[in-house]
Amino acid sequence: MRPQEVQGLRSGCCPEPQPTTDGAATRHLIRSKHYKNVADGDGNHISAGEDREVPWVAITPVVHAIRVLERMVPDGELLLSARHHAFASQGGHHGALKGGSLNDRIERFVVWVNREATSLGLSRQTVPEDPHGAIGMSRFRRTLAWHIARRPGGLVALAIQYGHMRTVLDARTSSGYGSRSRNGIHSVLDVETALAAADTAARLSDRMASGEKISGPAARRAVAAAATTPRFEGRIVPAKFARKAAAFLARDGVVLYDNPDAHLICAFKHDNALCEPEPGATAPRQYACQPGCGNTVRTDTHARQLRTRADEIDQLAANSPGPLGKRLRANADRLRATADAHDTTAQPAKALT
Ligand code: SF4
């Protein structure tokens, strides 16, 4: 959400989900307004915004935060209403707390967390100093983009929500979102994805330099890509980097995506992809990665990881009832077979250049 969208949330925006007729669990949804590019028939900006067509899916910590705020403001009121949150000196304000005030409160919250953590002897739960300065609202979107770019099927409920979001965002020409300006979340996402892809290329180069072998139908492409992808030693991102990042990602076949959940690197070439990316997408749907895809690349490290994971699954199988245990063991065997296939087909980087 843009900061403005957060400021526009009202009490009651996230009702308890109703069970479906078949009793299946449903997720909390946030109904909200959006403001950017909202115009009337004559093209005039509508400052009151309009209801978002697609609601946000809320993860549990977000639902908890909304419930806390709903205890502080009356029904239907803005969750961050200045009238109910501001102190006497800031009285008389209408609408939501302003950005500066919210940024200040985030900083004070960090101070409070650190004081509590220290007094309770929980030093590992303090919020560390940030070398890039204060945690303002505007930095949350880049944090979100970081997760979309680097956690294809990871924890923190990102697999579904962010994975699908990337697909929506990536269908730039076909979706309503995509047809809007290339600024905003697109450019933030491009920057993080390009940095993540460059990290993947750098890691592959390092592994090749240390003598690891490479396998997979896209091994040759990946070796060439790793040799030509620039390294980003720092994280200073100038404003015009967004355009370069988009151009970098548009080079079909030579951008490398790390896919830790599938234990592989994806040298994404749209026509080869078995995960069915949208037409025109510049990134794979990593959460829907399919075995046997022509974009797959593996290193010796991936083979080791596959065997470690297989051992973990076997342990789980040993403590699971009959049919489930059987399925888990079959899964572990499949991972070991993939590792064996790597060992028998992998070649040194030199042989692939
Ligand atoms: S299916 Fe292919 S293109 Fe899709 S994520 Fe997996 S390796 Fe990449």
Side-chain angles (χ1 to χ4, degrees), residues 169-211:
L169 291 170
D170 231 22
R172 291 160 205 240
T173 47
S174 57
S175 76
Y177 207 121
S179 61
R180 290 186 195 160
S181 153
R182 285 292 302 268
N183 295 326
I185 190 73
H186 275 154
S187 57
V188 181
L189 186 56
D190 283 345
V191 167
E192 284 309 322
T193 305
L195 290 173
D199 280 352
T200 303
R203 261 198 310 275
L204 179 59
S205 284
D206 292 344
R207 286 179 193 173
M208 291 187 308
S210 68

mmCIF file of all heavy atoms in Angstrom, residues 169-211:
data_model
loop_
_atom_site.group_PDB
_atom_site.id
_atom_site.type_symbol
_atom_site.label_atom_id
_atom_site.label_comp_id
_atom_site.label_asym_id
_atom_site.label_seq_id
_atom_site.Cartn_x
_atom_site.Cartn_y
_atom_site.Cartn_z
ATOM 1 N N LEU A 169 1.773 -7.640 -11.356
ATOM 2 C CA LEU A 169 2.566 -6.467 -11.718
ATOM 3 C C LEU A 169 3.337 -6.696 -13.009
ATOM 4 O O LEU A 169 3.614 -5.778 -13.761
ATOM 5 C CB LEU A 169 3.571 -6.147 -10.604
ATOM 6 C CG LEU A 169 2.934 -5.646 -9.325
ATOM 7 C CD1 LEU A 169 3.973 -5.597 -8.214
ATOM 8 C CD2 LEU A 169 2.342 -4.274 -9.537
ATOM 9 N N ASP A 170 3.685 -7.942 -13.252
ATOM 10 C CA ASP A 170 4.541 -8.209 -14.389
ATOM 11 C C ASP A 170 3.782 -8.229 -15.713
ATOM 12 O O ASP A 170 4.360 -8.063 -16.761
ATOM 13 C CB ASP A 170 5.244 -9.550 -14.183
ATOM 14 C CG ASP A 170 6.720 -9.379 -14.387
ATOM 15 O OD1 ASP A 170 7.189 -8.239 -14.258
ATOM 16 O OD2 ASP A 170 7.373 -10.374 -14.696
ATOM 17 N N ALA A 171 2.486 -8.458 -15.642
ATOM 18 C CA ALA A 171 1.717 -8.469 -16.878
ATOM 19 C C ALA A 171 1.465 -7.024 -17.283
ATOM 20 O O ALA A 171 0.361 -6.532 -17.272
ATOM 21 C CB ALA A 171 0.416 -9.205 -16.657
ATOM 22 N N ARG A 172 2.558 -6.353 -17.592
ATOM 23 C CA ARG A 172 2.497 -4.897 -17.693
ATOM 24 C C ARG A 172 1.594 -4.420 -18.809
ATOM 25 O O ARG A 172 0.966 -3.389 -18.717
ATOM 26 C CB ARG A 172 3.890 -4.338 -17.924
ATOM 27 C CG ARG A 172 4.715 -4.517 -16.721
ATOM 28 C CD ARG A 172 6.177 -4.443 -17.023
ATOM 29 N NE ARG A 172 6.864 -5.173 -16.001
ATOM 30 C CZ ARG A 172 7.756 -4.650 -15.193
ATOM 31 N NH1 ARG A 172 8.112 -3.417 -15.327
ATOM 32 N NH2 ARG A 172 8.321 -5.369 -14.277
ATOM 33 N N THR A 173 1.549 -5.147 -19.861
ATOM 34 C CA THR A 173 0.767 -4.639 -20.975
ATOM 35 C C THR A 173 -0.668 -5.117 -20.939
ATOM 36 O O THR A 173 -1.543 -4.488 -21.490
ATOM 37 C CB THR A 173 1.397 -5.074 -22.313
ATOM 38 O OG1 THR A 173 1.689 -6.459 -22.209
ATOM 39 C CG2 THR A 173 2.649 -4.301 -22.606
ATOM 40 N N SER A 174 -0.907 -6.239 -20.245
ATOM 41 C CA SER A 174 -2.254 -6.791 -20.321
ATOM 42 C C SER A 174 -3.131 -6.415 -19.137
ATOM 43 O O SER A 174 -4.336 -6.442 -19.237
ATOM 44 C CB SER A 174 -2.195 -8.313 -20.424
ATOM 45 O OG SER A 174 -1.490 -8.828 -19.332
ATOM 46 N N SER A 175 -2.535 -6.076 -17.985
ATOM 47 C CA SER A 175 -3.392 -5.799 -16.830
ATOM 48 C C SER A 175 -3.632 -4.317 -16.663
ATOM 49 O O SER A 175 -2.884 -3.497 -17.157
ATOM 50 C CB SER A 175 -2.728 -6.328 -15.553
ATOM 51 O OG SER A 175 -1.695 -5.464 -15.169
ATOM 52 N N GLY A 176 -4.679 -3.999 -15.923
ATOM 53 C CA GLY A 176 -4.976 -2.597 -15.645
ATOM 54 C C GLY A 176 -3.832 -1.941 -14.913
ATOM 55 O O GLY A 176 -3.448 -0.818 -15.196
ATOM 56 N N TYR A 177 -3.235 -2.664 -13.983
ATOM 57 C CA TYR A 177 -2.134 -2.103 -13.221
ATOM 58 C C TYR A 177 -0.965 -1.809 -14.154
ATOM 59 O O TYR A 177 -0.336 -0.776 -14.109
ATOM 60 C CB TYR A 177 -1.691 -3.108 -12.156
ATOM 61 C CG TYR A 177 -1.074 -2.471 -10.951
ATOM 62 C CD1 TYR A 177 -1.620 -2.668 -9.691
ATOM 63 C CD2 TYR A 177 0.040 -1.660 -11.069
ATOM 64 C CE1 TYR A 177 -1.067 -2.073 -8.584
ATOM 65 C CE2 TYR A 177 0.598 -1.068 -9.963
ATOM 66 C CZ TYR A 177 0.043 -1.276 -8.726
ATOM 67 O OH TYR A 177 0.585 -0.698 -7.627
ATOM 68 N N GLY A 178 -0.723 -2.793 -15.053
ATOM 69 C CA GLY A 178 0.431 -2.658 -15.920
ATOM 70 C C GLY A 178 0.310 -1.505 -16.898
ATOM 71 O O GLY A 178 1.312 -0.953 -17.343
ATOM 72 N N SER A 179 -0.918 -1.139 -17.245
ATOM 73 C CA SER A 179 -1.057 -0.107 -18.259
ATOM 74 C C SER A 179 -0.891 1.297 -17.672
ATOM 75 O O SER A 179 -0.881 2.265 -18.374
ATOM 76 C CB SER A 179 -2.418 -0.220 -18.930
ATOM 77 O OG SER A 179 -3.423 -0.048 -17.963
ATOM 78 N N ARG A 180 -0.749 1.355 -16.346
ATOM 79 C CA ARG A 180 -0.504 2.670 -15.748
ATOM 80 C C ARG A 180 0.953 3.062 -15.923
ATOM 81 O O ARG A 180 1.743 2.342 -16.493
ATOM 82 C CB ARG A 180 -0.831 2.602 -14.262
ATOM 83 C CG ARG A 180 -2.304 2.475 -14.050
ATOM 84 C CD ARG A 180 -2.562 2.553 -12.585
ATOM 85 N NE ARG A 180 -3.900 2.084 -12.329
ATOM 86 C CZ ARG A 180 -4.305 1.672 -11.152
ATOM 87 N NH1 ARG A 180 -3.492 1.681 -10.146
ATOM 88 N NH2 ARG A 180 -5.530 1.267 -10.993
ATOM 89 N N SER A 181 1.294 4.200 -15.328
ATOM 90 C CA SER A 181 2.652 4.723 -15.445
ATOM 91 C C SER A 181 3.683 3.675 -15.006
ATOM 92 O O SER A 181 3.411 2.839 -14.151
ATOM 93 C CB SER A 181 2.752 5.953 -14.549
ATOM 94 O OG SER A 181 4.071 6.131 -14.138
ATOM 95 N N ARG A 182 4.883 3.740 -15.571
ATOM 96 C CA ARG A 182 5.931 2.818 -15.176
ATOM 97 C C ARG A 182 6.587 3.237 -13.863
ATOM 98 O O ARG A 182 7.513 2.600 -13.397
ATOM 99 C CB ARG A 182 6.986 2.726 -16.286
ATOM 100 C CG ARG A 182 6.550 1.936 -17.470
ATOM 101 C CD ARG A 182 6.415 0.454 -17.096
ATOM 102 N NE ARG A 182 7.693 -0.061 -16.584
ATOM 103 C CZ ARG A 182 8.587 -0.625 -17.335
ATOM 104 N NH1 ARG A 182 8.376 -0.761 -18.597
ATOM 105 N NH2 ARG A 182 9.716 -1.068 -16.823
ATOM 106 N N ASN A 183 6.137 4.354 -13.297
ATOM 107 C CA ASN A 183 6.722 4.771 -12.036
ATOM 108 C C ASN A 183 6.133 3.946 -10.907
ATOM 109 O O ASN A 183 5.428 2.979 -11.125
ATOM 110 C CB ASN A 183 6.437 6.266 -11.802
ATOM 111 C CG ASN A 183 7.147 7.086 -12.858
ATOM 112 O OD1 ASN A 183 8.232 6.717 -13.288
ATOM 113 N ND2 ASN A 183 6.519 8.157 -13.273
ATOM 114 N N GLY A 184 6.394 4.342 -9.666
ATOM 115 C CA GLY A 184 5.788 3.677 -8.532
ATOM 116 C C GLY A 184 6.333 2.283 -8.318
ATOM 117 O O GLY A 184 7.505 2.022 -8.518
ATOM 118 N N ILE A 185 5.431 1.348 -7.978
ATOM 119 C CA ILE A 185 5.875 0.018 -7.566
ATOM 120 C C ILE A 185 6.600 -0.717 -8.691
ATOM 121 O O ILE A 185 7.496 -1.499 -8.452
ATOM 122 C CB ILE A 185 4.692 -0.816 -7.015
ATOM 123 C CG1 ILE A 185 5.168 -2.115 -6.341
ATOM 124 C CG2 ILE A 185 3.678 -1.121 -8.099
ATOM 125 C CD1 ILE A 185 5.817 -1.902 -5.008
ATOM 126 N N HIS A 186 6.244 -0.450 -9.954
ATOM 127 C CA HIS A 186 6.961 -1.111 -11.044
ATOM 128 C C HIS A 186 8.448 -0.817 -10.985
ATOM 129 O O HIS A 186 9.278 -1.714 -11.066
ATOM 130 C CB HIS A 186 6.443 -0.612 -12.401
ATOM 131 C CG HIS A 186 5.236 -1.369 -12.858
ATOM 132 N ND1 HIS A 186 4.312 -0.825 -13.706
ATOM 133 C CD2 HIS A 186 4.807 -2.610 -12.584
ATOM 134 C CE1 HIS A 186 3.366 -1.715 -13.934
ATOM 135 N NE2 HIS A 186 3.644 -2.788 -13.259
ATOM 136 N N SER A 187 8.782 0.456 -10.855
ATOM 137 C CA SER A 187 10.201 0.797 -10.894
ATOM 138 C C SER A 187 10.895 0.313 -9.626
ATOM 139 O O SER A 187 12.037 -0.144 -9.682
ATOM 140 C CB SER A 187 10.400 2.294 -11.109
ATOM 141 O OG SER A 187 9.744 3.005 -10.108
ATOM 142 N N VAL A 188 10.213 0.374 -8.494
ATOM 143 C CA VAL A 188 10.823 -0.123 -7.253
ATOM 144 C C VAL A 188 11.079 -1.623 -7.389
ATOM 145 O O VAL A 188 12.134 -2.134 -7.019
ATOM 146 C CB VAL A 188 9.890 0.143 -6.045
ATOM 147 C CG1 VAL A 188 10.535 -0.344 -4.760
ATOM 148 C CG2 VAL A 188 9.562 1.606 -5.926
ATOM 149 N N LEU A 189 10.101 -2.317 -7.969
ATOM 150 C CA LEU A 189 10.241 -3.763 -8.143
ATOM 151 C C LEU A 189 11.346 -4.094 -9.145
ATOM 152 O O LEU A 189 12.129 -5.017 -8.947
ATOM 153 C CB LEU A 189 8.900 -4.336 -8.609
ATOM 154 C CG LEU A 189 8.808 -5.845 -8.716
ATOM 155 C CD1 LEU A 189 9.166 -6.519 -7.409
ATOM 156 C CD2 LEU A 189 7.408 -6.250 -9.134
ATOM 157 N N ASP A 190 11.415 -3.323 -10.228
ATOM 158 C CA ASP A 190 12.476 -3.541 -11.213
ATOM 159 C C ASP A 190 13.856 -3.418 -10.559
ATOM 160 O O ASP A 190 14.749 -4.225 -10.799
ATOM 161 C CB ASP A 190 12.377 -2.497 -12.342
ATOM 162 C CG ASP A 190 11.253 -2.828 -13.319
ATOM 163 O OD1 ASP A 190 10.766 -3.963 -13.287
ATOM 164 O OD2 ASP A 190 10.875 -1.940 -14.095
ATOM 165 N N VAL A 191 14.023 -2.378 -9.754
ATOM 166 C CA VAL A 191 15.326 -2.139 -9.126
ATOM 167 C C VAL A 191 15.698 -3.325 -8.235
ATOM 168 O O VAL A 191 16.797 -3.883 -8.325
ATOM 169 C CB VAL A 191 15.299 -0.828 -8.304
ATOM 170 C CG1 VAL A 191 16.516 -0.730 -7.395
ATOM 171 C CG2 VAL A 191 15.238 0.366 -9.233
ATOM 172 N N GLU A 192 14.766 -3.751 -7.367
ATOM 173 C CA GLU A 192 15.088 -4.861 -6.460
ATOM 174 C C GLU A 192 15.319 -6.158 -7.233
ATOM 175 O O GLU A 192 16.184 -6.952 -6.882
ATOM 176 C CB GLU A 192 13.963 -5.061 -5.447
ATOM 177 C CG GLU A 192 13.941 -4.036 -4.351
ATOM 178 C CD GLU A 192 15.279 -3.865 -3.658
ATOM 179 O OE1 GLU A 192 16.004 -4.848 -3.440
ATOM 180 O OE2 GLU A 192 15.610 -2.706 -3.347
ATOM 181 N N THR A 193 14.524 -6.393 -8.280
ATOM 182 C CA THR A 193 14.682 -7.626 -9.058
ATOM 183 C C THR A 193 16.033 -7.624 -9.774
ATOM 184 O O THR A 193 16.731 -8.637 -9.809
ATOM 185 C CB THR A 193 13.529 -7.771 -10.073
ATOM 186 O OG1 THR A 193 12.299 -7.705 -9.362
ATOM 187 C CG2 THR A 193 13.598 -9.093 -10.803
ATOM 188 N N ALA A 194 16.411 -6.469 -10.329
ATOM 189 C CA ALA A 194 17.703 -6.384 -11.019
ATOM 190 C C ALA A 194 18.847 -6.615 -10.033
ATOM 191 O O ALA A 194 19.819 -7.328 -10.336
ATOM 192 C CB ALA A 194 17.852 -5.019 -11.696
ATOM 193 N N LEU A 195 18.740 -6.027 -8.841
ATOM 194 C CA LEU A 195 19.802 -6.231 -7.840
ATOM 195 C C LEU A 195 19.868 -7.702 -7.420
ATOM 196 O O LEU A 195 20.948 -8.267 -7.267
ATOM 197 C CB LEU A 195 19.547 -5.346 -6.613
ATOM 198 C CG LEU A 195 19.731 -3.839 -6.821
ATOM 199 C CD1 LEU A 195 19.287 -3.067 -5.583
ATOM 200 C CD2 LEU A 195 21.181 -3.506 -7.142
ATOM 201 N N ALA A 196 18.698 -8.318 -7.253
ATOM 202 C CA ALA A 196 18.676 -9.738 -6.864
ATOM 203 C C ALA A 196 19.272 -10.605 -7.962
ATOM 204 O O ALA A 196 20.031 -11.538 -7.697
ATOM 205 C CB ALA A 196 17.237 -10.171 -6.564
ATOM 206 N N ALA A 197 18.939 -10.286 -9.228
ATOM 207 C CA ALA A 197 19.470 -11.069 -10.358
ATOM 208 C C ALA A 197 20.993 -10.898 -10.438
ATOM 209 O O ALA A 197 21.717 -11.859 -10.716
ATOM 210 C CB ALA A 197 18.813 -10.623 -11.659
ATOM 211 N N ALA A 198 21.461 -9.682 -10.187
ATOM 212 C CA ALA A 198 22.916 -9.442 -10.217
ATOM 213 C C ALA A 198 23.600 -10.217 -9.091
ATOM 214 O O ALA A 198 24.684 -10.786 -9.284
ATOM 215 C CB ALA A 198 23.195 -7.947 -10.080
ATOM 216 N N ASP A 199 22.972 -10.281 -7.930
ATOM 217 C CA ASP A 199 23.520 -11.076 -6.813
ATOM 218 C C ASP A 199 23.604 -12.547 -7.203
ATOM 219 O O ASP A 199 24.575 -13.235 -6.897
ATOM 220 C CB ASP A 199 22.619 -10.963 -5.573
ATOM 221 C CG ASP A 199 22.858 -9.678 -4.805
ATOM 222 O OD1 ASP A 199 23.814 -8.960 -5.134
ATOM 223 O OD2 ASP A 199 22.054 -9.393 -3.896
ATOM 224 N N THR A 200 22.562 -13.026 -7.868
ATOM 225 C CA THR A 200 22.539 -14.446 -8.281
ATOM 226 C C THR A 200 23.673 -14.723 -9.265
ATOM 227 O O THR A 200 24.375 -15.738 -9.156
ATOM 228 C CB THR A 200 21.179 -14.784 -8.938
ATOM 229 O OG1 THR A 200 20.149 -14.468 -8.008
ATOM 230 C CG2 THR A 200 21.076 -16.240 -9.318
ATOM 231 N N ALA A 201 23.856 -13.793 -10.221
ATOM 232 C CA ALA A 201 24.943 -13.960 -11.200
ATOM 233 C C ALA A 201 26.299 -13.943 -10.500
ATOM 234 O O ALA A 201 27.188 -14.753 -10.815
ATOM 235 C CB ALA A 201 24.862 -12.859 -12.252
ATOM 236 N N ALA A 202 26.458 -13.028 -9.543
ATOM 237 C CA ALA A 202 27.748 -12.923 -8.829
ATOM 238 C C ALA A 202 28.014 -14.204 -8.028
ATOM 239 O O ALA A 202 29.141 -14.712 -8.006
ATOM 240 C CB ALA A 202 27.717 -11.711 -7.902
ATOM 241 N N ARG A 203 26.961 -14.735 -7.404
ATOM 242 C CA ARG A 203 27.138 -15.972 -6.616
ATOM 243 C C ARG A 203 27.503 -17.141 -7.523
ATOM 244 O O ARG A 203 28.368 -17.955 -7.200
ATOM 245 C CB ARG A 203 25.849 -16.309 -5.855
ATOM 246 C CG ARG A 203 25.901 -15.864 -4.396
ATOM 247 C CD ARG A 203 24.853 -16.577 -3.561
ATOM 248 N NE ARG A 203 23.536 -16.530 -4.151
ATOM 249 C CZ ARG A 203 22.680 -15.512 -3.996
ATOM 250 N NH1 ARG A 203 23.038 -14.463 -3.286
ATOM 251 N NH2 ARG A 203 21.506 -15.542 -4.559
ATOM 252 N N LEU A 204 26.874 -17.188 -8.712
ATOM 253 C CA LEU A 204 27.199 -18.263 -9.651
ATOM 254 C C LEU A 204 28.658 -18.134 -10.101
ATOM 255 O O LEU A 204 29.387 -19.133 -10.154
ATOM 256 C CB LEU A 204 26.248 -18.207 -10.858
ATOM 257 C CG LEU A 204 26.492 -19.262 -11.936
ATOM 258 C CD1 LEU A 204 26.373 -20.684 -11.372
ATOM 259 C CD2 LEU A 204 25.506 -19.096 -13.100
ATOM 260 N N SER A 205 29.100 -16.913 -10.387
ATOM 261 C CA SER A 205 30.500 -16.697 -10.776
ATOM 262 C C SER A 205 31.442 -17.179 -9.680
ATOM 263 O O SER A 205 32.448 -17.845 -9.954
ATOM 264 C CB SER A 205 30.779 -15.203 -10.985
ATOM 265 O OG SER A 205 30.256 -14.791 -12.184
ATOM 266 N N ASP A 206 31.118 -16.828 -8.437
ATOM 267 C CA ASP A 206 31.979 -17.235 -7.322
ATOM 268 C C ASP A 206 32.044 -18.756 -7.202
ATOM 269 O O ASP A 206 33.104 -19.335 -6.961
ATOM 270 C CB ASP A 206 31.459 -16.643 -5.997
ATOM 271 C CG ASP A 206 31.616 -15.125 -5.970
ATOM 272 O OD1 ASP A 206 32.373 -14.591 -6.801
ATOM 273 O OD2 ASP A 206 30.962 -14.489 -5.117
ATOM 274 N N ARG A 207 30.891 -19.407 -7.399
ATOM 275 C CA ARG A 207 30.883 -20.870 -7.291
ATOM 276 C C ARG A 207 31.704 -21.502 -8.419
ATOM 277 O O ARG A 207 32.424 -22.473 -8.219
ATOM 278 C CB ARG A 207 29.439 -21.407 -7.340
ATOM 279 C CG ARG A 207 28.692 -21.150 -6.059
ATOM 280 C CD ARG A 207 27.272 -21.668 -6.149
ATOM 281 N NE ARG A 207 26.476 -21.157 -5.053
ATOM 282 C CZ ARG A 207 25.165 -21.337 -4.940
ATOM 283 N NH1 ARG A 207 24.508 -22.009 -5.856
ATOM 284 N NH2 ARG A 207 24.501 -20.844 -3.923
ATOM 285 N N MET A 208 31.573 -20.927 -9.631
ATOM 286 C CA MET A 208 32.357 -21.456 -10.766
ATOM 287 C C MET A 208 33.843 -21.262 -10.488
ATOM 288 O O MET A 208 34.652 -22.147 -10.733
ATOM 289 C CB MET A 208 31.964 -20.747 -12.057
ATOM 290 C CG MET A 208 30.556 -21.089 -12.512
ATOM 291 S SD MET A 208 30.095 -20.447 -14.138
ATOM 292 C CE MET A 208 30.479 -18.749 -14.072
ATOM 293 N N ALA A 209 34.195 -20.089 -9.932
ATOM 294 C CA ALA A 209 35.604 -19.795 -9.663
ATOM 295 C C ALA A 209 36.169 -20.747 -8.617
ATOM 296 O O ALA A 209 37.368 -21.061 -8.631
ATOM 297 C CB ALA A 209 35.744 -18.342 -9.202
ATOM 298 N N SER A 210 35.307 -21.202 -7.717
ATOM 299 C CA SER A 210 35.812 -22.119 -6.684
ATOM 300 C C SER A 210 35.754 -23.579 -7.150
ATOM 301 O O SER A 210 35.958 -24.501 -6.370
ATOM 302 C CB SER A 210 35.029 -21.935 -5.387
ATOM 303 O OG SER A 210 33.703 -22.375 -5.582
ATOM 304 N N GLY A 211 35.449 -23.802 -8.420
ATOM 305 C CA GLY A 211 35.546 -25.144 -9.004
ATOM 306 C C GLY A 211 34.253 -25.938 -9.033
ATOM 307 O O GLY A 211 34.257 -27.126 -9.377
#
